[in-house]
Amino acid sequence: MSKKIVAFIPAHLASVRFPRKVLYEIHGLPMIEHVRRRALLSGAFDDVYVATCDDEVQSLIEKHGGKVIRTANTHKNGTSRIAEAVQKVDCSHVVLLQADEPLLLPEDLQFFVKSIKEDQVNTVSWNATGPIEAVDELDRHSFVKCFVNEKNRILFCFRRSPAFGKFEDTNKYIRKILGIIGYTKEFLVQIASLPPAPFESIEFIEQMRILENEYSLKSVSLDHTFPSINEPGEVDEVLFKLKDSLQDSYLKQVLAI
């Protein structure tokens, strides 16, 4: 059976750590529009949508020619928001793109979708992961880390590392969770219907609902990591990264759309 894969970018303005961050302007474009345009540049998806409950987000995306599906304003996370929105879309698989990942590389999205299309073991969920580059990142609570086994299965997610071993030994298995998450449509609707899991609620890690209910979450491993914007203090890191040659090339393409 052919796989029809659609990208969704969940968005709302009431972010706790960085209110209205999806509209934060980077080189004259709101952050979420950078993400949407990079998804389009990849050519990997059958369609790209923004799922939101906010008039301001809808107006902005539609002004730029994007597609929006309105959702309820009661969602606690992006997973449940796109689970509502995807029921209006004909597809077999869904890829959630976090709106605070303005440095997404189109070729990474292509690789992620290729991994879904070539999967032959009835996997129901996937998450892109990247390397931890410095030991101090293990306890940086603003982004999520995970343990990955030899079969590329994510076993556990956390914000501060429980590992005791040396960094050079553990960093093969401890990786950064990136804002590219895939599901079969059926599984997404199913997992979103379950009650929040204990560690998911304590640590604010959506992926733990999958793992705590003993479903498989597969790592799609990338060999690099780019910063996202979870908090205001991380903006400068992203702006600095946009100056390197690869990101500068994509920035020019994004602004030209």
Side-chain angles (χ1 to χ4, degrees), residues 170-209:
T170 60
N171 71 346
K172 177 181 177 182
Y173 303 100
I174 298 178
R175 296 181 61 82
K176 180 180 178 179
I177 285 280
L178 304 179
I180 311 170
I181 312 165
Y183 315 82
T184 67
K185 179 180 179 179
E186 180 180 7
F187 179 67
L188 171 60
V189 173
Q190 175 190 350
I191 201 70
S193 71
L194 297 178
F199 201 77
E200 170 198 0
S201 300
I202 293 168
E203 292 291 291
F204 302 102
I205 300 175
E206 296 173 46
Q207 291 86 344
M208 284 306 299
R209 188 177 307 185

Side-chain angles (χ1 to χ4, degrees), residues 132 135 138 165-173:
I132 301 293
V135 66
L138 290 174
K166 295 179 180 178
F167 177 67
E168 56 267 28
D169 295 329
T170 60
N171 71 346
K172 177 181 177 182
Y173 303 100

Side-chain angles (χ1 to χ4, degrees), residues 3 5 42 44-45 95 108-119 180 220:
K3 297 177 180 179
I5 303 177
S42 76
F45 303 105
V95 175
D108 289 342
L109 300 180
Q110 293 165 2
F111 177 71
F112 189 85
V113 168
K114 183 172 181 282
S115 298
I116 293 176
K117 288 183 174 179
E118 294 181 351
D119 196 295
I180 311 170
V220 177

Side-chain angles (χ1 to χ4, degrees), residues 67-231:
K67 297 181 179 180
V68 176
I69 294 180
R70 287 298 292 257
T71 63
N73 64 359
T74 53
H75 294 290
K76 302 298 183 183
N77 57 50
T79 305
S80 65
R81 189 178 302 282
I82 65 169
E84 177 193 344
V86 77
Q87 296 185 61
K88 302 175 182 178
V89 175
D90 175 28
C91 63
S92 63
H93 291 70
V94 183
V95 175
L96 184 159
L97 303 177
Q98 299 286 13
D100 56 9
E101 296 266 3
L103 301 182
L104 287 176
L105 292 181
E107 55 261 41
D108 289 342
L109 300 180
Q110 293 165 2
F111 177 71
F112 189 85
V113 168
K114 183 172 181 282
S115 298
I116 293 176
K117 288 183 174 179
E118 294 181 351
D119 196 295
Q120 300 295 321
V121 294
N122 297 317
T123 304
V124 293
S125 59
W126 301 256
N127 208 128
T129 66
I132 301 293
E133 296 173 340
V135 66
D136 65 313
E137 291 183 343
L138 290 174
D139 288 324
R140 188 169 161 186
H141 71 275
S142 64
F143 65 83
V144 177
K145 278 72 69 177
C146 64
F147 286 118
V148 180
N149 71 8
E150 296 282 0
K151 296 181 179 179
N152 285 322
R153 181 169 178 172
I154 295 173
L155 302 180
F156 190 69
C157 299
F158 52 90
R159 291 189 179 276
R160 295 189 187 277
S161 176
F164 175 75
K166 295 179 180 178
F167 177 67
E168 56 267 28
D169 295 329
T170 60
N171 71 346
K172 177 181 177 182
Y173 303 100
I174 298 178
R175 296 181 61 82
K176 180 180 178 179
I177 285 280
L178 304 179
I180 311 170
I181 312 165
Y183 315 82
T184 67
K185 179 180 179 179
E186 180 180 7
F187 179 67
L188 171 60
V189 173
Q190 175 190 350
I191 201 70
S193 71
L194 297 178
F199 201 77
E200 170 198 0
S201 300
I202 293 168
E203 292 291 291
F204 302 102
I205 300 175
E206 296 173 46
Q207 291 86 344
M208 284 306 299
R209 188 177 307 185
I210 297 172
L211 301 179
E212 291 185 76
N213 283 285
E214 300 183 349
Y215 292 104
S216 176
L217 178 60
K218 185 175 181 178
S219 167
V220 177
S221 299
L222 306 181
D223 62 4
H224 53 264
T225 299
F226 291 114
S228 54
I229 299 178
N230 303 287
E231 300 174 342

